Amino acid sequence: MNNLSSRSESYLYEQVVEKMTGLIGQGVLRPGDRIPSVRRLSLQMHVSISTVLQAYLLLESRGLIEARPQSGYYVKVRAEKIPPEPRTSTPYASATPVGVGELVSKVLQAASHPEIVPLGAGVPSPDLLPVRQLNHVMAAIGRRRGAAAIGYDFPPGNEGLRRQIARRSLDWGCHLSTDEIVTTCGGMEALNLCLRAVANPGDTIVIESPTFFGVLQVIESLKMKALEIATHPRDGIDLEALERAVKRNKVRACILIPNFNNPLGSCMPEKNKKSLVEILARREIPLIEDDIYGDLYFGVTRPKTVKAFDKHGLVLLCSSFSKNLAPGYRVGWTAPGRFKFKVEQLKFMNTLATASLPQMTIAQFLDSGGYDRHLRRLRKSLATQVQRISLAISRYFPEGTRVTRPSGGFVLWVELPKSVNSLELHRKALREKISIIPGCLFSAKKRYQNFIRLSCGHPWSDRLEQALITLGRLAGKD
């Protein structure tokens, strides 16, 4: 096997995961076979024991292997081959106005009925969230804090919450102070404020292709143009394509999701993050970094943010607690670097303040350690669910289907045969009470007509499996 010792320890485990997944998928390692011990594989691949343990943990969470007490690790008896990944995207290298808002609204409204199987839902199921604990904390704070719990928390927002976020930033490779953070009404307001702080109507904004339709909606609402850049399903944005784009176009800013992109699930390697910062810093181009999925990693170590490599205050880091804790609280935040004063001004004019009681509740939950315990359970559940739905796609979807292999988050990007129109598939699925998100919503140019995004945020059930069987049948008929 190749000597991998020269690569960064922080992502070596991904190489181990890829190697073992390949051996299982090719049938070299068959269901029931014992795989190399941690020590043996460490020697074979010239990596540390902790790296192999991290890789085996991820393989176990994906349902490919299982640990047997006092015996070692084995290929799961029911392990199956997952379809290949989609290829690197190839968008047209020209900026364009965005016009997805109306279609997004129609798709999301149609999928909101409680009888619908939520394969299009962009949030985890309440069954996976600490509903009872949060309600208890909120009620206690309401009684204890009295009038303060219903008063304004003017920008930059609740100090206790900002302090907790600053403490956690050490895990992301950052050293943020409380004063560098501004709380917002969810992640969408954070993106909106940051983009308004660095760009104006008519400006060109670089995005990944595909990217979250919410990013496209923000660009559309501010009458800016989007420039889509090729993106790899595993490693994120193509830096060579990005460098060509910023040389040929007058780019005012970038909005990227480096950790577990929605919909790809891609995660940029650290060396790419460092290079990204350098490419943009040479031209003084601000980067709005959406790290909303960063805490939902499946491995042992949380990936660093791009902000960790920022030396010039050009990275505006944004996130929220909507995807991993409490969607309805609408609590987000940003660390906007050198643009903080402008963001605070815009926040005051936009919504005046972020709701006080939800901020206090989340701050208390973080301080108590409840958040970390919850995240450990949530990450394990999501990793298992991603693997189960991936395997169901391999069983029930038509020949030629491709699917991503995310190492975090809870969405899958599925490429169907070219004959399938995903918008029409969305309509047919709705008639069967199944929601999906058609691929055209993830591109300013309405590309990805034969792609869909599936959510893995709801626990496995017979109803969910039946919905995937039905969806595969509908796709096979197109």
Side-chain angles (χ1 to χ4, degrees), residues 251-315:
V251 172
R252 188 65 191 88
C254 301
I255 303 182
L256 305 180
I257 311 173
N259 289 331
F260 316 126
N261 161 286
N262 177 1
L264 286 174
S266 57
C267 185
M268 291 183 70
E270 281 189 18
K271 62 178 182 178
N272 289 25
K273 292 174 181 174
K274 185 173 184 294
S275 297
L276 170 65
V277 168
E278 293 168 353
I279 291 169
L280 299 180
R282 285 195 290 268
R283 290 175 172 78
E284 291 270 310
I285 298 174
L287 167 63
I288 299 169
E289 178 184 10
D290 184 353
D291 193 54
I292 198 167
Y293 297 99
D295 280 344
L296 299 180
Y297 57 94
F298 299 158
V300 173
T301 306
R302 190 200 196 279
K304 287 184 178 181
T305 60
V306 174
K307 181 76 171 176
F309 303 95
D310 179 28
K311 299 177 181 178
H312 306 286
L314 283 167
V315 177

Side-chain angles (χ1 to χ4, degrees), residues 1-175:
M1 294 187 182
N2 293 331
N3 189 326
L4 302 173
S5 59
S6 62
R7 295 182 181 269
S8 169
E9 191 73 19
S10 63
Y11 61 91
L12 264 176
Y13 79 94
E14 296 176 358
Q15 307 294 320
V16 180
V17 168
E18 187 172 355
K19 180 70 175 177
M20 299 305 294
T21 300
L23 292 174
I24 293 170
Q26 295 158 17
V28 177
L29 290 172
R30 297 182 177 183
D33 285 352
R34 185 180 182 184
I35 64 175
S37 69
V38 171
R39 184 175 295 278
R40 181 181 174 191
L41 193 63
S42 169
L43 292 172
Q44 288 178 334
M45 297 193 71
H46 305 283
V47 297
S48 69
I49 287 175
S50 64
T51 295
V52 178
L53 282 170
Q54 186 174 4
Y56 279 11
L57 178 64
L58 182 54
L59 288 165
E60 190 175 13
S61 71
R62 290 180 175 180
L64 292 175
I65 67 172
E66 59 184 350
R68 297 180 186 175
Q70 301 180 331
S71 182
Y73 287 91
Y74 291 78
V75 180
K76 266 200 169 181
V77 173
R78 297 188 64 182
E80 299 176 46
K81 184 176 180 180
I82 294 174
E85 294 175 286
R87 304 170 186 86
T88 299
S89 62
T90 55
Y92 305 116
S94 61
T96 183
V98 182
V100 301
E102 184 178 353
L103 183 56
V104 168
S105 296
K106 289 180 179 178
V107 169
L108 296 184
Q109 287 172 8
S112 61
H113 197 280
E115 291 185 4
I116 298 290
V117 180
L119 285 170
V123 293
S125 165
D127 295 335
L128 301 179
L129 301 177
V131 178
R132 183 181 58 80
Q133 297 96 312
L134 287 173
N135 286 341
H136 176 76
V137 172
M138 180 174 278
I141 290 174
R143 290 191 299 269
R144 186 174 69 249
R145 297 296 302 274
I150 62 170
Y152 284 126
D153 249 327
F154 291 115
N158 181 267
E159 183 178 2
L161 178 57
R162 290 185 290 116
R163 186 185 305 115
Q164 291 299 324
I165 294 169
R167 287 177 179 174
R168 299 189 69 83
S169 72
L170 296 173
D171 295 336
W172 323 327
C174 298
H175 301 277

Side-chain angles (χ1 to χ4, degrees), residues 125-386:
S125 165
D127 295 335
L128 301 179
L129 301 177
V131 178
R132 183 181 58 80
Q133 297 96 312
L134 287 173
N135 286 341
H136 176 76
V137 172
M138 180 174 278
I141 290 174
R143 290 191 299 269
R144 186 174 69 249
R145 297 296 302 274
I150 62 170
Y152 284 126
D153 249 327
F154 291 115
N158 181 267
E159 183 178 2
L161 178 57
R162 290 185 290 116
R163 186 185 305 115
Q164 291 299 324
I165 294 169
R167 287 177 179 174
R168 299 189 69 83
S169 72
L170 296 173
D171 295 336
W172 323 327
C174 298
H175 301 277
L176 298 176
S177 70
T178 302
D179 292 337
E180 292 179 86
I181 297 163
V182 181
T183 65
T184 61
C185 298
M188 285 298 293
E189 187 185 41
L191 295 177
N192 188 292
L193 296 176
C194 288
L195 188 53
R196 289 167 64 192
V198 301
N200 298 301
D203 284 341
T204 295
I205 312 300
V206 158
I207 59 172
E208 295 145 308
S209 183
T211 195
F212 173 46
F213 51 75
V215 168
L216 296 172
Q217 287 178 291
V218 171
I219 294 172
E220 179 181 355
S221 70
L222 299 177
K223 296 180 169 36
M224 299 174 187
K225 292 183 286 188
L227 178 57
E228 300 183 48
I229 305 296
T231 306
H232 187 273
R234 194 83 63 92
D235 294 335
I237 194 166
D238 183 326
L239 294 181
E240 291 183 2
L242 173 66
E243 193 149 25
R244 289 194 299 270
V246 297
K247 285 180 180 177
R248 297 172 183 172
N249 299 270
K250 187 178 179 181
V251 172
R252 188 65 191 88
C254 301
I255 303 182
L256 305 180
I257 311 173
N259 289 331
F260 316 126
N261 161 286
N262 177 1
L264 286 174
S266 57
C267 185
M268 291 183 70
E270 281 189 18
K271 62 178 182 178
N272 289 25
K273 292 174 181 174
K274 185 173 184 294
S275 297
L276 170 65
V277 168
E278 293 168 353
I279 291 169
L280 299 180
R282 285 195 290 268
R283 290 175 172 78
E284 291 270 310
I285 298 174
L287 167 63
I288 299 169
E289 178 184 10
D290 184 353
D291 193 54
I292 198 167
Y293 297 99
D295 280 344
L296 299 180
Y297 57 94
F298 299 158
V300 173
T301 306
R302 190 200 196 279
K304 287 184 178 181
T305 60
V306 174
K307 181 76 171 176
F309 303 95
D310 179 28
K311 299 177 181 178
H312 306 286
L314 283 167
V315 177
L316 300 86
L317 178 61
C318 299
S319 190
S320 86
F321 296 94
S322 296
K323 303 298 183 185
N324 52 30
L325 188 61
Y329 281 15
R330 307 308 304 136
V331 174
W333 57 270
T334 177
R338 67 167 73 169
F339 306 99
K340 179 174 181 280
F341 179 70
K342 180 66 172 176
V343 167
E344 279 194 31
Q345 283 186 310
L346 290 166
K347 166 64 181 176
F348 192 86
M349 291 185 291
N350 202 54
T351 52
L352 192 65
T354 303
S356 300
L357 188 53
Q359 289 186 83
M360 293 176 181
T361 301
I362 292 176
Q364 175 64 38
F365 195 65
L366 267 63
D367 187 47
S368 71
Y371 183 60
D372 289 302
R373 290 191 293 273
H374 158 64
L375 281 179
R376 286 192 288 271
R377 291 190 295 268
L378 179 61
R379 286 195 293 261
K380 185 174 182 180
S381 296
L382 294 178
T384 300
Q385 186 68 353
V386 164

